[in-house]
Structures are given as C-alpha cells and as structure tokens.
Amino acid sequence: MSMTVTELPHKEQALFRSALLYEASQYKKGLKVSEQILKKFPDHGETLSVKGMFLAHLERKEEGYELMERGLKINPQSSISWHVYGLVCRSDKKYVQAIKCYEEALKADSENMHILREVASLYVQMRQYSKAVECREKLTAMNPFFPSFWLGLATAHHMNGRYDLAIKVISAHELGNNQPPLDKYMISELSLYKNWLIELNGDYQQALEHLKEIRPQIVDITGWKEKKARLLLKADRKEAAATAFQDLLERNSENDDYITGYMECNGLDMKCDEDQDAVLEVIGTLQQQFPSSNRLRFLPLMYSTGDNFVVAAESLAKYALRKGIPSLFSSVRVLYADKAKGAALGTLIESCATQIRDTKRFSDSTDDEPASVLLWCNYYLAQHYDYYGDHERALTLIEEAIRSSPKTIEPYMIKARILKHAGDFRGARDTMDYARQQDVGDRYLTTKFIKYMLRVDEVDEAEKTYLLFVNEDAPHKIQEIVNMQATWYMNERGHAYRRMGDIGRALKHYHQAISVFDTYQDDQYDFHQYSVRKVTLRSYIDILEWEATVYENPAYQTAARAAAECYLELADRKASCNTFVPIEIEKDDKPLTRNGSAQQGQQNLAAGVGETKVYDVEKDPNGTKFVESDNLAEALKLAEHLESVAASNPDTHVLAFEVHLRMQKYFLVLKAINALKAIDATHPALPSMVVRLSQALDTDESFAAALKVPLRAQLAKSFGAVDITTGTAESIDSVLAAAKSMLAMGNGDQAATLLVQTPEAKYAEGRTLLKLLEAKRLLAKSGADESTQAAFGATAKTVFPLATCF
C-alpha cells in the first residue's frame, strides 16, 4: 500500500508541503521539490500526482495526466491526489471530470474547505444548483460568520428557485454580531438583492414595506426608484405607481421601460390594437411635459395610421432635417415593415425636398431653412430608394448630397452602402476608403472600411489596417488582434478565405470566433466567488442568466455553421479523392511594424524578435490541424451543439441533416427532417432532404434492410410522394435548395438547368443579390461551361446593372 503524506519521514513531509506552491504558480520550483522526494520514494502516490500537476501546468500535459493517473492508481483514497487532478481538469475546462475528482476527494476529506468552495463553484458553472445548495450549506455550517459562504448559499437557493429559503438565509445572517463589517455599497446591494428576492417570492406588499425600510441604506437611488415603481404596479396601486414612473421619466424620458410602465399604470397595453388611440393620447400628454424627448417624438409613428401618421411623421422629419440628424432613416426603418408607412415616409420627404428646392422653406414656415436641410432630405431619400432596391435613383440622390457638401462624411458612407447593395463591391470599398481618409482617427469608419476590404478578399490589407487598433508597444500584435475578440472581423475574414478556396485558414478564423463565446462561458467561473465576495449579487444573477443564452448570438451561429460546412466540404473532397492541401503562407523579409502582417509577426518570432512565447494563433498559421482532423466528427460536434442552443433556427436542422446523412445515421437524418418540418412545414429544403434520404436508403446496402422499413414508412406517412423540384417554379429559395441537393447526388447538369433561370422575372419577389451570387457559385460548382456561366452573368446584370460581381 502506498505511503501517505503523514507516513513520509519528517524531512520529506516538509519538502512535500513546500511543493504545494501551485497557488503561487511556482511550478518549476514545485517540480524540483517533488522530483527530490521521488528519488527516495518513487512510488509515493501523492507526490506523483503533485508532480503531474506541475508538468501539466508547464505545458507537458500528456506526461502530467499520466503521472496523476499513476498516483491515483497507487493511492485511490488520497484526497490530495484527487484534488490536484481536479485542479488540472478545471484548468483545462473539463468541468464534469473536475467535479468527479472533487467529489472523490471529499470522500476522503469531507471537511476540506478549499475543495468545498471549488466544487460549489463548479456546480454552479454546470447549473447543478441542488448540489450547489448542499455544498454551500455545508460551508455555511462550518463557518456561519463568513459572508461569502452564506451569500453563496442565498444565491444558490435563488438559482434553484427557492426564493423563500434565500430570504431566510440573508435574514438569519445579515445582522449577525460576529459578521465582518460591510461597506455602504455592499450594504446597499445586499438590501436591494433581498428586496428582489421578496419580489420574486410574490409578496409585493412586503417588498414595498421592506423597500421603505432600506431607503436610508441605498446608494443606487435610481435602482431603488425603479423597484418602487415596479412594485407599486405589481401591487395594483396604479395611481402611486404612475407618480413613481412620472418621477423616473423626469430623470430619463428616453427610457422605454419607464414609458411602458406609465402606460400600464393607466391601464393601457401598448401592444393591444384596441388601446392605440388611448396610448396616443397619453403620449401626447407626455410630449407636452417632456418636449425634448426624442423617444416620445417617435412613438406616435408606431401607433398612428393614415393622416394621423403623416402629421406625426412630418413633425419628426422636419425636426430631424433641421437639426441635421443623420440617423433619421435608421430610427424609422422599423416602420418600413408596414408598406403603407414606408411609402408615406418616402412621399413626405420627397415633398419636403421639393419645397426646399422651390421656395427654400417648408410650406408651413415663413422663414428660409438652412441649406443643409436639402442635403439631409437627399441623404434620407437615398436610403429610402436603396431600401426598395432602386439603386440608380439612390445613387443619383446621394451624389447630389455629396455635391452640396463635399466635406460631410456621412453621404460617402451611404454611397458605399448603396454600391454594396448594387453589387459593386470594389466601388463600395473605394468609396468607404475615401470616407475614412477624411477622418483617419474615427474607429467606426476604419471598422467599416476593414469590412469592405474583406468583402473584396483583401485579407492582408485588412489586417494591416486592423493593426491600427493595436497599441504601438504591444509585444505581439497578432495575438492582440485575437484578444480583442472582434467576432465580426474573425467571421468576415473566414468568409474571405472561404471564397478564396483557403479552407484551412477559413476554419482557423471561424474557430477563433467560436472560441470567443467559449471564453465567455468559461470566464463566468471567476465570478462565482468574486461576485459573492464583492456582494454584487444582482449583477451576478444577471450574468448567470445571460450566460444561458450566450450561444444564441448570431455571430456564434454564423461561425459554427460556416465551420461545419467547411468540414463537410473537406470530407466530400476526401471521399472523392480530391483532398484539400493547406495553402502555405508566402514568405517575405519585411520587419514587423504597426502595420505588419500575421506572417511577418511569425517570422520575427522565429528570429527571436520581441516576445518569446509561442501563442496558439501562430502555431498553425495555415489551419493544417483543422484540415487534417476527423472532418465529419468535428462537423458533428458543431451540429450537435447548435441543435442544443439554436434548435429554433431552421438552418441548424439543415446542417444536422447534411452531417448525419454523410455519417449514414439515417434515424438522426429523419429526426432533423421532422425537426425542420415542425418549425417550418413549407421550408424550401424539405422536398430535397426527403428525396436524398430516400435515395440513400435505396443505395446503401450496408444498412440493415429491416431498419429501412420503418424509415420509409415514416417518410411516406409524413411527406407522401415528393419531387426534388417541388416549388422551383415559383421560389428562388427552392431552386437553390434543389440545386444543392442535385449537386450532392451528382446531377450537375440538372442543377445547372435550374440555376441559369434564377435571374428571370418569375423569381423577382425573392430575388436578391446574395441569392444570385449563391446561384453563381453553385453554377460554377455544377461544371457548367463558360458560355452558360456567361449567359447567367449577362442575365443577372439586367437585374443589377451596376454590379461588377457577375
């Protein structure tokens, strides 16, 4: 049997305890001490485990894990061995494994406070709230006067849905005689948190009484007033609540929550059509009280119609045009969902522009307006016509705006956007560059310019420009770019490399974007103890609730789907013996400057210039590890995660279908089809998905015949007889879906026949520039000859005459 720490000789005991310096990150020193002990006692399990931990932290993970497992095999009852194993697993984000290790450690040392605190945080990290409660209760029993323990127990009860128990914990401990003193900010936060718990528990009257009691302790006065207004409304004391919301509106009349709350106090629901007239009347009253409120000036447009809408829109438009507010169109764009309102706004601004051109004043004014009013009329109308796809008219108007004020930057930005929508990506890039040159210190302009460069695949130049955001003295500029966590840049760069055919680098950048959200998820671990210690409990609960939705972010879903599609493309190429070979980076000898490229940074790193640490971003500049991975397995990981976090998105199930079909998991293929049908029974991809599954069942002889029967029966019951071309006569989306499936089944000629028709007038309703570009890409993939592709491009040019991308 292995010796324990206490069984080591006294000298070695002292050495072992000195080796436990991992909290101070003295890994090399600890490694030397552990090796010194192992020279005399090579089979001492706990020392082997500790040495393994040090090796793991010194980037020798494989060797470290091997030693820790060996140490546990020698002494499986050692609390120290399990504890250090758990520490390494936690550091490597293996939270489930870390919890198992800590639970084993507690079997041998159930009163170890350090282990209990760490495993309690892990339980919350993994949303195992009932276990977190048990652990926090044990910690609180061990030291009931330590605030972090009972506050942690209260938050655990909160997240477990037991608000009553959370209130009892705080009430029992907040006035304890032996409590360490809290500062006034902590007392304020704790008081508001307890009041929130009372509110969540449904006792609004008690919450109001408590809120009155704690008023002298509160530092966050606005937060206190908001709670008072909300509680009065919930307690059905609407008159008092209206006064409270009125007080809040005097502080901030732009706040939507205050306005909505005030409406509810008057018995009005802003989403109910029957209340619209009354809502407008109340808004009018508020406008008189708060005439400078832009939000109150806009709201009548949301709820009025017909002539009343025109009157309200005219008031807002003239105010914005006189003030020269560039964001007028952005503010009212939401109204364009109503075609009548969109048309009315266009007619109104056209009328304003005509009046200014003819008389230099509005019809209801006796004074001449500033010359800039016509500029902003044209500026608005350019965006209006761009919205409706009349790019030539939009360009004419924005050029007029530019001529009237050549030094104003905003019209150049709109011109670039119009050119982008019209298909002239190069012209859009050049125009945005000109706008940026007018104010090189403007980060927003630089950001937009980088996006426009990436859309014309100028990835190296975009990187050089992006480095303007990096500090001059940054030791490693390329790592700084990654550390900025700009997912828009990572995704756009990935798209650019994908268009260029460099799948390896595309995957590298998509995974960088994905890792940003993984970091968000992992970083919450630090707050499980920090927030409780600092008594920022309301913000802490908000963080936990936000983290539950972090992967719903469109930037994550875009990156994950694109990466999975790249993996599928790699798998298809391997299956057809056309394996993708990573593209090597070109070499040059330029020194690294502020505008230096990633490749230049790698060269200087190799030469010993600057920082000596090799970051992950440089270890694989070509994305080779992604290309050489098990492509289908990696695609499956992404698809399964998307199914868990984005199940309501139809694209998730289309992706899952593609992955499972290639892996011949036909029941999961059917599951993806049914999930898509449940979301959208008319989805254009459904017919082709059914046909492809049927074909796979017919041709795959390795799949058991007995299992094919229920699959075919389910398909026949749910879909009947389906043709892959269903819907292609009316919908361009159906054409694209059918063409993709035809290409997957090897029917390139049939796909080309469909795709060349996409620019035709019969598809005018759903025909967009991006869909025609997708048709162009698929047409090239189908093997269509040059004349067919040229004919497609010529027809597409008739739809987008300004486009240079066909």
Coordinates of all heavy atoms in Angstrom, one line a residue, residues 322 355-356 359-370 373:
R322 N -34.0 69.7 -39.8 CA -33.5 71.0 -39.4 C -32.2 70.8 -38.5 O -31.3 71.6 -38.6 CB -34.5 71.8 -38.7 CG -35.6 72.4 -39.6 CD -36.8 72.9 -38.8 NE -37.7 73.7 -39.7 CZ -39.0 73.7 -39.5 NH1 -39.5 73.1 -38.4 NH2 -39.8 74.4 -40.3
Q355 N -40.2 71.3 -51.7 CA -40.5 72.6 -51.1 C -39.2 73.4 -50.9 O -39.1 74.6 -51.2 CB -41.2 72.4 -49.8 CG -42.6 71.9 -49.9 CD -43.2 71.5 -48.5 OE1 -42.9 72.1 -47.5 NE2 -44.0 70.4 -48.5
I356 N -38.1 72.7 -50.4 CA -36.9 73.4 -50.2 C -36.2 73.8 -51.5 O -35.7 75.0 -51.7 CB -35.9 72.5 -49.4 CG1 -36.5 72.2 -48.0 CG2 -34.5 73.2 -49.3 CD1 -36.7 73.4 -47.2
T359 N -38.8 76.8 -52.9 CA -39.0 78.0 -52.1 C -38.0 78.2 -51.0 O -38.1 79.3 -50.3 CB -40.4 78.0 -51.5 OG1 -40.5 76.9 -50.5 CG2 -41.5 77.8 -52.6
K360 N -37.1 77.3 -50.8 CA -36.1 77.3 -49.7 C -36.8 77.3 -48.3 O -36.1 77.6 -47.3 CB -35.2 78.5 -49.8 CG -34.4 78.6 -51.1 CD -33.5 79.8 -51.1 CE -32.6 79.8 -52.3 NZ -31.7 81.0 -52.4
R361 N -38.0 76.9 -48.2 CA -38.7 76.8 -46.9 C -39.8 75.8 -47.0 O -40.3 75.4 -48.1 CB -39.3 78.2 -46.5 CG -40.4 78.6 -47.4 CD -40.9 80.1 -47.1 NE -39.8 81.0 -47.3 CZ -40.0 82.3 -47.2 NH1 -41.2 82.8 -47.0 NH2 -39.0 83.2 -47.4
F362 N -40.2 75.3 -45.8 CA -41.4 74.4 -45.8 C -42.7 75.2 -46.0 O -42.7 76.4 -45.7 CB -41.4 73.6 -44.5 CG -40.2 72.7 -44.3 CD1 -39.4 72.7 -43.2 CD2 -39.9 71.7 -45.3 CE1 -38.3 71.9 -43.0 CE2 -38.8 70.8 -45.1 CZ -38.0 70.9 -44.0
S363 N -43.7 74.5 -46.4 CA -45.0 75.1 -46.7 C -45.6 75.8 -45.5 O -46.4 76.7 -45.7 CB -45.9 74.1 -47.3 OG -46.2 73.0 -46.4
D364 N -45.3 75.3 -44.3 CA -45.9 75.9 -43.1 C -45.0 76.8 -42.4 O -45.2 77.2 -41.2 CB -46.3 74.7 -42.1 CG -45.1 73.9 -41.7 OD1 -44.0 74.1 -42.3 OD2 -45.3 73.0 -40.8
S365 N -43.9 77.3 -43.1 CA -42.9 78.1 -42.5 C -42.8 79.4 -43.3 O -43.0 79.5 -44.5 CB -41.6 77.5 -42.4 OG -40.6 78.3 -41.9
T366 N -42.5 80.5 -42.6 CA -42.3 81.8 -43.2 C -40.8 82.2 -43.4 O -40.5 83.2 -44.0 CB -43.0 82.9 -42.5 OG1 -42.5 82.9 -41.1 CG2 -44.5 82.7 -42.5
D367 N -40.0 81.4 -42.8 CA -38.5 81.6 -42.8 C -37.8 80.6 -43.7 O -38.2 79.5 -43.7 CB -37.9 81.6 -41.4 CG -38.5 82.6 -40.4 OD1 -38.8 83.7 -40.9 OD2 -38.7 82.3 -39.3
D368 N -36.8 81.1 -44.3 CA -36.0 80.2 -45.1 C -35.2 79.2 -44.2 O -34.8 79.5 -43.2 CB -34.9 81.0 -46.0 CG -35.6 81.8 -47.1 OD1 -36.8 81.6 -47.3 OD2 -34.8 82.6 -47.7
E369 N -35.2 77.9 -44.7 CA -34.5 76.9 -44.0 C -33.0 76.9 -44.3 O -32.6 77.4 -45.4 CB -35.0 75.5 -44.3 CG -36.5 75.4 -44.0 CD -36.8 75.4 -42.5 OE1 -35.9 75.2 -41.7 OE2 -38.0 75.7 -42.1
P370 N -32.1 76.4 -43.5 CA -30.7 76.3 -43.8 C -30.5 75.4 -45.0 O -31.3 74.5 -45.4 CB -30.1 75.6 -42.6 CG -31.1 75.8 -41.5 CD -32.4 75.9 -42.1
V373 N -30.7 71.5 -45.0 CA -31.9 70.7 -45.0 C -32.1 69.9 -46.3 O -32.5 68.7 -46.2 CB -33.1 71.6 -44.8 CG1 -34.4 70.9 -45.0 CG2 -33.1 72.3 -43.4

